[in-house]
Amino acid sequence: MTTNNHQSGHDQPAQTISEDGKLELGRASEERNRPVAVRVYVSPITSRAALRWVNAEGHDSPSLWDPVSLNGSHAHALRDEVLNLAGAVLAKRGFNYARGASWQSVSGEKDTERPATAEVAVVPTRAYLDLQNRRFGPAPELPEVPGVTFKTAQRGQWHATVPDGRTFLLTWTPHLDGDRWIVWGGDQHSDLIRPATTSMDKALFVLRHPSHARS
């Protein structure tokens, strides 16, 4: 009788990626897919406009950079109102025009004065780069809070036990316009105790003074 051996020497144990490894992969993915240009397309049929993000390979960036609809009805891609709307999107996302760059009709457009598609090179702002350093760098260090014990739950999340025995969940998420700090309570930490704030100190206040926390 022949016995099949499913545990051959070719089988390799599953490898787990460390937290630092995951962060490095995430940072590499962000850098690889970071937009280097944007395109505005105005439909000649509907007159609706949308901004698309283009990476270094000339392709649309992945889902993190989904197209952004631009309000209004527009005649073509080089109209001032279209480009002003596009500029506002860039600023909100942490980008600026590359030095010396200007909007141009995309190569191959038949009507260069009224093109359906225009493109410009962009660069990340200092604030955007700082955000990526926070996203993929070390998590913030919490200060000592008298009477409060912190235990890391996962990256950006800490269980905080206060003197009366209650435990809260403190969460941190990085954002371009200011990182968010939130305190959660209740049995499953589903009750919002301290709404989102950009100040760590404000989030820690409720832990310093648990009588202000109602769960």
Side-chain angles (χ1 to χ4, degrees):
M1 181 176 66
T2 301
T3 302
N4 292 325
N5 183 2
H6 297 289
Q7 301 297 323
S8 68
H10 296 289
D11 292 341
Q12 297 294 328
Q15 295 183 351
T16 58
I17 302 177
S18 67
E19 183 67 29
D20 287 344
K22 292 177 182 178
L23 291 173
E24 285 304 314
L25 287 174
R27 183 186 291 273
S29 177
E30 188 282 322
E31 291 176 349
R32 183 172 61 253
N33 293 295
R34 183 184 299 168
V36 299
V38 292
R39 289 176 183 158
V40 167
Y41 172 74
V42 176
S43 170
I45 298 175
T46 65
S47 298
R48 305 298 293 177
L51 180 148
R52 305 185 72 90
W53 308 89
V54 182
N55 62 22
E57 296 179 349
H59 305 306
D60 283 355
S61 291
S63 58
L64 180 64
W65 299 97
D66 286 337
V68 180
S69 297
L70 304 178
N71 294 332
S73 178
H74 309 285
H76 59 82
L78 286 179
R79 289 291 294 268
D80 287 344
E81 64 267 24
V82 179
L83 303 184
N84 288 339
L85 290 170
V89 172
L90 290 178
K92 185 176 181 179
R93 293 291 192 96
F95 282 81
N96 205 343
Y97 301 118
R99 183 181 296 272
S102 60
W103 289 95
Q104 303 289 337
S105 59
V106 170
S107 177
E109 285 277 353
K110 295 180 180 179
D111 188 347
T112 58
E113 296 298 324
R114 297 170 57 87
T117 308
E119 181 178 279
V120 68
V122 298
V123 292
T125 62
R126 181 73 259 170
Y128 178 91
L129 296 177
D130 289 343
L131 170 63
Q132 305 317 312
N133 287 335
R134 298 197 303 279
R135 287 182 63 204
F136 302 114
E141 293 187 7
L142 301 181
E144 291 188 7
V145 179
V148 181
T149 301
F150 293 103
K151 182 178 180 180
T152 301
Q154 62 184 54
R155 176 178 168 79
Q157 296 187 9
W158 300 265
H159 288 123
T161 303
V162 299
D164 64 9
R166 283 183 295 170
T167 298
F168 300 91
L169 182 67
L170 174 66
T171 64
W172 161 80
T173 52
H175 287 264
L176 188 67
D177 60 348
D179 296 353
R180 307 293 194 267
W181 294 88
I182 303 176
V183 178
W184 304 86
D187 293 338
Q188 302 297 322
H189 295 133
S190 59
D191 298 335
L192 184 60
I193 303 299
R194 165 71 230 197
T197 175
T198 57
S199 168
M200 178 196 294
D201 287 341
K202 289 181 179 179
L204 293 178
F205 176 83
V206 73
L207 302 177
R208 293 190 183 96
H209 306 282
S211 60
H212 291 266
R214 299 177 182 177
S215 59

